[in-house]
Amino acid sequence: MAGQAREELLARLAKVLQLEKREGYQDRAVLGGLEGFIERAAAELEPADAELAAALRAQAQGYAAMPFMKRREAIRELEDLLRAVEVGVVSPKARKAKGGLGSPVRYAKGVGERREKLLNKLGIEKIEDLLLYFPRRIEDRSQIKRIASLRHGERATIHGRVSAIDTIRPRRDLEILKVAVQDISGVAYAVWFNQPWLKKQFAVGMKLALFGEVERAFGAVQLTNPVWEPAGENFLTGRLVPVYPATEGLPQGALLRLIRENLALYQDEIEELIPEEVRLRLGLLPRREAFFKIHFPESLEEFELARRSLAFEELFLFQIGVALERRRVRDRPGRSLTISDEQLEEFIAALPFRLTAAQGRALAEIREDLAAPRPMHRLLQGDVGSGKTVLALIACLIAHASGYQAAMMAPTEILAEQHYRVITDLVERARLPLRVGLLIGSLPEREKAAMREGIERGEVDLVLGTHALIQDEVRFRRLGLAVIDEQHRFGVIQRAELEKKGQELDVLVMSATPIPRTITLILYGQFEISILDELPYERRIKTYWVAEERREEVYQLIKGRLAKGEQTFIIYPLIEEPEEEARLLDLRAATEMAEELARGPFREFKVGLLHGRVSDAEKRAVLEAFRRKELHVLVATTIVEVGIDVPDASIMIIEHADRFGLAQLHQLRGRIGRAGQEALCFALASPKTEEARRRLEAFRDTDDGFKIAEQDLLIRGPGELLGPAQHGLDTTFKAADLLRDLELLKLAREEALKLIEAEPDHPLVAEFSRRFGGRFEWARF
């Protein structure tokens, strides 16, 4: 048969298969049935295509007698065969893609052009990605229940025979398919909306297995859009079934079949990665076995062991990258920065407060790092008000005592100015010979130029600033220490730019934003970590979640406290709103409400306004007026989230609190009660979603920043918590659970450090690069 005739024959066969699918696998696409058509087509092929002919016949054999699900599978196998012919692979034994697991997913068994696009939406680009697409949970569909015993709201599996099939069209754009299924105890109705093709797949007397959520109403039992299959097939029901994140157009069953077929086909290419000694010592499954058991577990225990094994693998590989970076940092030459005990004790004694035990531990760690002949890379993490700034100042003092300059970079001018004010006050109290400067964008150009000149000449020992510090024209005479506050608000690039201002700098990064320990070990893996887990004063903030309709009661309570000289923040989530958004979200804009509050409930008090669109000069003036108690009420947006220090403020009202993240709410609350006084925080909200309710409950019941962080991770997941565009944690880890796998992460970290220490060029370094590549930096700070 000529090449063109062969192509036409195969194209005709492809059209017949498409028609058979459209007809609902009823064996009506061609006269005489599909098996007869394929027999005739196979007979037309040349002897050179004998293997193809045999494969076609094998797939179509007995098609007329097959049940629906088997017919559908046979059509898919035939389509796979035709796709294999396109890429020059015919033998069923050699139907793997030529590139193996690294091949584009379009060459996977059962995947065509349409499915490839759907899989790409899920981030599945290669065949390997398909096998690495792990279920997010396992659903137990093994217990078959009698219809009469079903309870409203439960998810259950039932078996029964189809006793009636009906189609209802209540309106032009709605078609309802209703299938009555009966067992010995009663009748249940399976209902599907706008899926007319399903009707051809059912017949009275057919025995079905169904799984779904039970609805009981007016004495009837109904399952809407249930999972279904012929009883006894036990693929989507009758066992533990994995549940995957899916996309429209690619049902769970279709995805699971794709994974099953390709896992069977490519299982020999799944190679061991974890060193055998480590795997056996930690009780982990062989890799191939773990793949099968995470997708097709016999028990929940089996699933968890498989998940744990694969989670360790990806955490271990990721930590190899961290270990390599730590090694590079450690091996770089540095400088030893020291201070005498007498100088340090003299400064600490001059402080207007005593250091906490946690501050003492962190200071010892920082001092040891600075004295070592290699660059310091340390994260100082502590809740709002835990005393990070004074430790940063001591680190800068040590740099100065060793003849070096220090720079502290903050994300906002307000925070930089606050640091400047606090630090200059402490320096003056202790009469330190430390020359402190401020460099921010809003300074007059003449002042900025003078400051840059002083920095370059070495006339400024410690400079505080914003992004202005990393501009090209800023040159240091002898920079030895960089302190970066609220590190998560800067990108990797900005941090690197500051570090370029000196040679082999010591780096101290600080964060008041609570981050769960697991994520800290990932994002800050190259850093040593100090945690300030106690406050210099007892936190005395009472938090209340109040429905929005009780706003006036809160205002009345606040007025009484204001009359006694207290001050309050009122926080709004938006600055101004388009009319449509206002109607949808019912949010109050700070600009409008400041005027309304000043005219209404707080007319006898001074009300100020602070938001991101006022000039820097106005911000400073408003904050200074609030500190001097010239203002009683400060209406503000989340500009006050970080770094606003008004010690006497003791009340906060957070309007539409359900619109804020949990960590953000906690940061806002940290602006009050900063002198240790009793404080009140009111979260005004009438949430519409379960997630928002959980956030507000956690905010009301918890004031520990680290517990808040874990709750936030639990509620929202790492991508939402940290911002998926920058961090990519939602896609970086597929099996690991960043909330509950802390101990596993510690093990992975320990093993990776040992591996790289013993063999820096281990073959797994290449696997780390292949698996994570450029995402490594973007998944971290």
Side-chain angles (χ1 to χ4, degrees), residues 152-322:
H152 180 78
E154 74 171 319
R155 294 173 67 78
T157 303
I158 61 170
H159 280 190
R161 290 192 182 277
V162 175
S163 57
I165 303 170
D166 192 17
T167 301
I168 306 163
R169 292 186 180 84
R171 60 176 191 263
R172 188 166 35 179
D173 60 344
L174 179 61
E175 181 174 303
I176 302 170
L177 175 64
K178 196 169 188 179
V179 177
V181 178
Q182 187 169 3
D183 69 7
I184 60 172
S185 71
V187 177
Y189 295 95
V191 173
W192 291 271
F193 298 95
N194 291 331
Q195 299 180 54
W197 61 89
L198 276 178
K199 186 174 182 180
K200 296 178 182 177
Q201 298 177 18
F202 302 114
V204 173
M206 182 180 182
K207 194 169 184 187
L208 292 181
L210 301 120
F211 174 83
E213 185 170 327
V214 177
E215 300 170 51
R216 274 191 173 273
F218 307 108
V221 176
Q222 179 172 300
L223 283 78
T224 302
N225 290 320
V227 174
W228 71 276
E229 64 185 354
E233 187 155 307
N234 292 339
F235 184 64
L236 298 176
T237 65
R239 65 184 188 93
L240 296 178
V241 177
V243 179
Y244 300 87
T247 187
E248 189 177 349
L250 189 65
Q252 291 280 322
L255 188 55
L256 185 54
R257 282 190 175 85
L258 288 177
I259 291 170
R260 178 185 65 176
E261 291 168 8
N262 285 280
L263 188 53
L265 189 60
Y266 290 94
Q267 59 179 306
D268 293 341
E269 294 190 29
I270 298 172
E271 299 175 350
E272 286 297 332
L273 293 176
I274 305 299
E276 186 77 357
E277 182 274 326
V278 174
R279 186 181 66 75
L280 292 173
R281 176 160 43 84
L282 299 181
L284 305 175
L285 293 176
R287 193 165 187 250
R288 189 181 307 167
E289 185 180 346
F291 269 79
F292 274 97
K293 287 184 174 177
I294 198 169
H295 289 297
F296 303 100
E298 295 291 329
S299 66
L300 292 173
E301 292 75 20
E302 195 172 273
F303 170 78
E304 179 53 28
L305 180 56
R307 188 203 68 81
R308 188 173 184 274
S309 300
L310 293 164
F312 178 85
E313 174 191 296
E314 58 189 358
L315 292 170
F316 177 67
L317 287 173
F318 193 91
Q319 289 298 317
I320 282 174
V322 171

Side-chain angles (χ1 to χ4, degrees), residues 614-676:
V614 300
S615 69
D616 291 310
E618 287 179 90
K619 288 176 193 171
R620 282 190 284 273
V622 169
L623 278 173
E624 196 53 42
F626 196 45
R627 285 193 194 96
R628 292 198 304 263
K629 292 197 170 185
E630 293 169 9
L631 296 175
H632 306 95
V633 178
L634 182 58
V635 177
T637 61
T638 51
I639 193 170
V640 304
E641 178 187 346
V642 173
I644 301 298
D645 187 17
V646 183
D648 291 333
S650 56
I651 306 165
M652 178 172 283
I653 299 172
I654 305 174
E655 287 278 0
H656 310 287
D658 52 320
R659 304 295 304 173
F660 295 92
L662 184 51
Q664 193 176 32
L665 288 169
H666 181 65
Q667 287 283 299
L668 288 167
R669 177 169 56 187
R671 299 304 112 205
I672 58 173
R674 292 175 70 87

Side-chain angles (χ1 to χ4, degrees), residues 181-479:
V181 178
Q182 187 169 3
D183 69 7
I184 60 172
S185 71
V187 177
Y189 295 95
V191 173
W192 291 271
F193 298 95
N194 291 331
Q195 299 180 54
W197 61 89
L198 276 178
K199 186 174 182 180
K200 296 178 182 177
Q201 298 177 18
F202 302 114
V204 173
M206 182 180 182
K207 194 169 184 187
L208 292 181
L210 301 120
F211 174 83
E213 185 170 327
V214 177
E215 300 170 51
R216 274 191 173 273
F218 307 108
V221 176
Q222 179 172 300
L223 283 78
T224 302
N225 290 320
V227 174
W228 71 276
E229 64 185 354
E233 187 155 307
N234 292 339
F235 184 64
L236 298 176
T237 65
R239 65 184 188 93
L240 296 178
V241 177
V243 179
Y244 300 87
T247 187
E248 189 177 349
L250 189 65
Q252 291 280 322
L255 188 55
L256 185 54
R257 282 190 175 85
L258 288 177
I259 291 170
R260 178 185 65 176
E261 291 168 8
N262 285 280
L263 188 53
L265 189 60
Y266 290 94
Q267 59 179 306
D268 293 341
E269 294 190 29
I270 298 172
E271 299 175 350
E272 286 297 332
L273 293 176
I274 305 299
E276 186 77 357
E277 182 274 326
V278 174
R279 186 181 66 75
L280 292 173
R281 176 160 43 84
L282 299 181
L284 305 175
L285 293 176
R287 193 165 187 250
R288 189 181 307 167
E289 185 180 346
F291 269 79
F292 274 97
K293 287 184 174 177
I294 198 169
H295 289 297
F296 303 100
E298 295 291 329
S299 66
L300 292 173
E301 292 75 20
E302 195 172 273
F303 170 78
E304 179 53 28
L305 180 56
R307 188 203 68 81
R308 188 173 184 274
S309 300
L310 293 164
F312 178 85
E313 174 191 296
E314 58 189 358
L315 292 170
F316 177 67
L317 287 173
F318 193 91
Q319 289 298 317
I320 282 174
V322 171
L324 287 168
E325 190 167 340
R326 285 173 66 91
R327 184 183 176 86
R328 280 195 293 272
V329 169
R330 186 197 67 191
D331 291 348
R332 289 199 332 241
R335 61 181 67 81
S336 178
L337 304 181
T338 59
I339 192 170
S340 69
D341 291 342
E342 293 76 20
Q343 278 181 288
L344 185 58
E345 287 166 9
E346 187 179 335
F347 171 67
I348 292 172
L351 292 173
F353 47 78
R354 294 179 61 184
L355 297 183
T356 65
Q359 284 175 306
R361 288 192 300 272
L363 175 55
E365 291 164 348
I366 291 168
R367 197 176 175 191
E368 184 180 346
D369 279 0
L370 290 171
R374 60 180 182 275
M376 173 175 76
H377 275 71
R378 182 165 290 276
L379 163 68
L380 180 59
Q381 188 177 4
D383 212 342
V384 175
S386 58
K388 297 180 295 298
T389 305
V390 71
L391 294 182
L393 173 57
I394 292 173
C396 296
L397 184 60
I398 294 171
H400 171 64
S402 300
Y404 288 89
Q405 292 169 292
M408 185 184 297
M409 187 164 73
T412 67
E413 292 198 358
I414 287 177
L415 185 52
E417 287 176 307
Q418 179 182 301
H419 283 324
Y420 178 73
R421 189 174 59 253
V422 170
I423 285 172
T424 50
D425 180 58
L426 292 174
V427 165
E428 287 168 8
R429 279 173 180 267
R431 297 180 179 176
L432 293 175
L434 195 68
R435 296 165 295 183
V436 182
L438 178 68
L439 184 59
I440 55 178
S442 62
L443 287 175
E445 190 54 47
R446 183 182 299 175
E447 289 183 34
K448 284 191 285 190
M451 182 56 61
R452 287 194 295 264
E453 188 176 331
I455 292 168
E456 189 169 4
R457 288 180 176 175
E459 296 166 358
V460 177
D461 303 313
L462 166 59
V463 60
L464 300 118
T466 55
H467 293 80
L469 290 176
I470 62 176
Q471 291 173 350
D472 291 341
E473 55 265 35
V474 178
R475 299 179 186 88
F476 289 81
R477 184 181 180 194
R478 204 179 186 211
L479 183 62

Side-chain angles (χ1 to χ4, degrees), residues 8-80:
E8 289 175 356
L9 175 65
L10 295 177
R12 194 161 68 248
L13 177 53
K15 286 182 179 178
V16 167
L17 296 178
Q18 284 293 324
L19 181 58
E20 177 65 9
K21 284 161 67 175
R22 285 200 300 272
E23 289 293 319
Y25 308 96
Q26 299 294 310
D27 201 18
R28 296 176 185 166
V30 286
L31 291 172
L34 184 70
E35 185 177 1
F37 173 79
I38 286 178
E39 176 58 42
R40 293 190 295 275
E44 291 183 41
L45 291 168
E46 296 285 351
D49 279 323
E51 204 168 2
L52 173 59
L56 289 169
R57 288 186 178 110
Q59 293 300 338
Q61 187 176 8
Y63 184 82
M66 290 180 188
F68 166 78
M69 301 297 280
K70 294 291 184 187
R71 285 184 180 180
R72 186 165 66 176
E73 197 164 323
I75 295 295
R76 285 179 182 156
E77 291 286 349
L78 286 163
E79 288 183 321
D80 279 350

